[in-house]
Amino acid sequence: MASGTELTHAAPTAGEYIAHHLTFLNNSGEMQANLIDFGLYNVDTLFYSIVLGLLTVFLLHRAAAKATSGVPGRFQAAVEILVEMVADQAKGMIHSEESRRFVAPLALTVFVWIFFMNAMDLLPVDLLPRIWEGVYAAAGHDPHHAYMRVVPTADINATMGMSIAVLLLCLYYNVKIKGAGGWFHELISAPFGNHILLAPFNFAMNVIEFLAKTVSHGMRLFGNMFAGELIFMLIALMGGAWTGMNAPSILLAAGHFVAGLSWAIFHILVITLQAFIFMMLTLVYIGQAHDGH
Amino acid sequence: MNLNATLIIQLVVFLSFVWFTKNFVWPPIVKALDERAKKVADGLAAADKAKADLANAEKRSMEELRSARESAAELRAGAEKQAGKLVEDARAEANRIIAAAREAATTEAGAAAQKAKDALRDQVAALAVAGAERILRREINAQTHADLLSNLKQELS
């Protein structure tokens, strides 16, 4: 959130600065032109999410490898608190012991991984992009095309990818628990009632429900993190307007400091809460797949 | 917010991390937690049991002490009673012995007196016979009689 030096040499306008920061680095090297283009993938999102995911499983695995039933160390105790929390929540939502063996670890992964990805928001917005810009320029490329977004959860592809994975799991558990026939019967008989004339409406309603759950699941996380990141960028603009030791610049820099500090502190809550909400909704949706209407 | 293949890659990445966590993270941690919970439960149960045992032992020792005290008191009372009885018996025995001794002494003294009397009577008789013999052997004169009689008198006294 703290960088006033971004704009000094190239001096882009505020709009250009924001637009640059909101552009993903994809495999074409250019800004994505079409709304949907499955020929492209976002290198930055994948890089940071995979690195953070590896960090997640590395930390969790370290705790798991050293876990003993004796007196736990602080790190082990912290991981155990997380595991207990997730296990309790899973127990409340999913009444199948066998499913919990898969879904509870899933919820733990979701929570810790998303927390780490969200926490990238707390890094100064220009820190990693500036480093990347330097590397990109040093490699002989045009620094204006050195795009980089460091918060993977502010990429709708990442969040929707996860929510679609959850949808697939819901479909899987629906079939597994109720059987293909039982589930199909539920699709055409609930929520309006079991009647041949109502079947199309029931089915449409269920399809809409699945779509709405999945889209809102992914969009909620994306929206929160995107907005948070955008506000950090707007705050960074205040310090970015530095023109020398004059009253407006000093006032703006002070505003940058105060706003950045308070937004970052508030954001600690947001990133934790959003990770928790994503995890809880994952459990709720998979739990619903276990319950008949 | 453009959609692209990141979505599909992210989906696969996500499920891979979940697979890893499910197989290599969750089971050991949960196992350790369950084991610790069992250990703690066992420890608490053992502590409760030890506490109960202690209370029991205290109760038992109090009971033992009380019964020991009671039996000691009983013993003492019995001993006192027996001692009293012994003293009483001894006294009665002593009285009996004294009475018997007294009676024996009295009897003996009576017998001795009787014996002495008998002996005396015999002697008197003998003397009388002797005196009579002497009188018969010689002529009795007054003088001689007087001597004899005085002699007899002396011997009798």
Side-chain angles (χ1 to χ4, degrees):
Chain A
M1 47 197 157
S3 171
T5 57
E6 160 68 13
L7 308 176
T8 47
H9 67 291
T13 64
E16 283 168 355
Y17 171 79
I18 298 283
H20 185 263
H21 271 280
L22 289 182
T23 305
F24 289 102
L25 175 70
N26 60 34
N27 53 325
S28 74
E30 298 291 328
M31 195 188 283
Q32 184 172 338
N34 305 315
L35 185 61
I36 299 172
D37 184 348
F38 277 93
L40 298 178
Y41 55 89
N42 295 336
V43 178
D44 44 6
T45 298
L46 290 173
F47 173 75
Y48 286 113
S49 62
I50 289 171
V51 165
L52 291 167
L54 289 174
L55 178 70
T56 301
V57 293
F58 169 72
L59 287 177
L60 292 177
H61 183 253
R62 237 173 61 115
K66 291 199 291 183
T68 63
S69 57
V71 179
R74 288 187 174 192
F75 175 65
Q76 194 195 332
V79 173
E80 282 173 4
I81 288 169
L82 269 179
V83 168
E84 288 270 23
M85 184 272 285
V86 173
D88 277 355
Q89 300 289 0
K91 215 168 274 180
M93 308 270 186
I94 294 156
H95 304 296
S96 157
E97 166 77 40
E98 200 202 331
S99 300
R100 273 210 302 274
R101 273 206 286 273
F102 176 74
V103 179
L106 174 132
L108 178 70
T109 316
V110 162
F111 180 68
V112 179
W113 189 26
I114 292 180
F115 176 80
F116 280 150
M117 291 196 285
N118 290 354
M120 292 299 283
D121 230 355
L122 294 175
L123 289 176
V125 283
D126 279 314
L127 179 66
L128 293 171
R130 275 304 294 235
I131 294 170
W132 173 240
E133 216 174 280
V135 171
Y136 203 69
H141 301 293
D142 179 7
H144 287 105
H145 287 258
Y147 302 117
M148 168 140 300
R149 293 189 61 180
V150 298
V151 188
T153 43
D155 181 352
I156 193 163
N157 291 295
T159 60
M160 286 304 294
M162 287 190 282
S163 71
I164 288 171
V166 172
L167 172 71
L168 295 179
L169 287 170
C170 285
L171 301 182
Y172 166 74
Y173 278 112
N174 265 312
V175 173
K176 187 186 173 196
I177 301 292
K178 299 163 188 164
W183 184 45
F184 181 71
H185 181 257
E186 187 186 296
L187 283 180
I188 59 169
S189 62
F192 298 125
N194 188 7
H195 190 280
I196 188 71
L197 288 177
L198 292 172
F201 301 103
N202 284 328
F203 185 74
M205 199 65 188
N206 280 307
V207 170
I208 290 168
E209 188 187 335
F210 275 117
L211 280 177
K213 281 200 288 199
T214 300
V215 171
S216 71
H217 196 195
M219 288 291 272
R220 179 178 296 105
L221 179 60
F222 159 73
N224 274 282
M225 299 328 294
F226 182 85
E229 195 188 22
L230 190 60
I231 287 174
F232 275 126
M233 288 172 196
L234 294 174
I235 291 167
L237 280 176
M238 290 202 280
W242 183 267
T243 56
M245 289 299 279
N246 52 49
S249 289
I250 291 169
L251 276 175
L252 277 172
H256 182 171
F257 173 75
V258 172
L261 179 68
S262 37
W263 183 241
I265 290 170
F266 178 62
H267 220 60
I268 295 172
L269 174 70
V270 173
I271 61 178
T272 317
L273 199 64
Q274 286 307 318
F276 184 71
I277 289 172
F278 197 95
M279 179 197 86
M280 289 303 283
L281 287 175
T282 302
L283 290 173
V284 168
Y285 292 160
I286 295 178
Q288 281 175 351
H290 287 69
D291 301 331
H293 277 284
Chain B
M1 49 177 287
N2 301 315
L3 286 176
N4 60 29
T6 313
L7 189 148
I8 291 152
I9 301 171
Q10 184 79 2
L11 197 158
V12 174
V13 167
F14 173 56
L15 292 177
S16 320
F17 284 138
V18 170
W19 171 83
F20 182 88
T21 308
K22 192 232 170 230
N23 284 298
F24 302 109
V25 173
W26 191 266
I29 292 179
V30 168
K31 187 164 154 276
L33 285 174
D34 288 350
E35 269 170 20
R36 182 162 339 116
K38 194 176 167 303
K39 258 190 196 174
V40 171
D42 288 354
L44 288 176
D48 279 350
K49 194 176 164 297
K51 213 181 270 173
D53 284 355
L54 182 65
N56 267 348
E58 259 170 15
K59 213 170 100 190
R60 212 167 41 231
S61 76
M62 291 299 286
E63 248 161 39
E64 296 267 310
L65 207 63
R66 196 162 49 83
S67 77
R69 208 170 275 150
E70 260 171 21
S71 75
E74 215 167 82
L75 217 61
R76 198 188 300 129
E80 266 168 12
K81 209 166 118 197
Q82 205 173 352
K85 191 166 168 288
L86 276 179
V87 168
E88 202 63 32
D89 285 357
R91 192 169 287 147
E93 179 75 5
N95 282 343
R96 200 175 55 75
I97 289 170
I98 289 169
R102 186 173 291 148
E103 197 179 335
T106 312
T107 315
E108 210 170 306
Q114 191 62 44
K115 208 173 155 190
K117 264 183 206 161
D118 286 352
L120 201 58
R121 196 175 291 128
D122 286 351
Q123 274 178 0
V124 167
L127 278 175
V129 171
E133 261 181 8
R134 275 180 209 169
I135 291 165
L136 287 176
R137 235 177 281 157
R138 322 174 205 174
E139 203 57 350
I140 299 170
N141 58 43
Q143 183 122 32
T144 324
H145 278 166
D147 286 348
L148 266 173
L149 289 173
S150 78
N151 266 357
L152 193 58
K153 252 188 220 164
Q154 269 176 353
E155 274 180 58
L156 275 171
S157 68

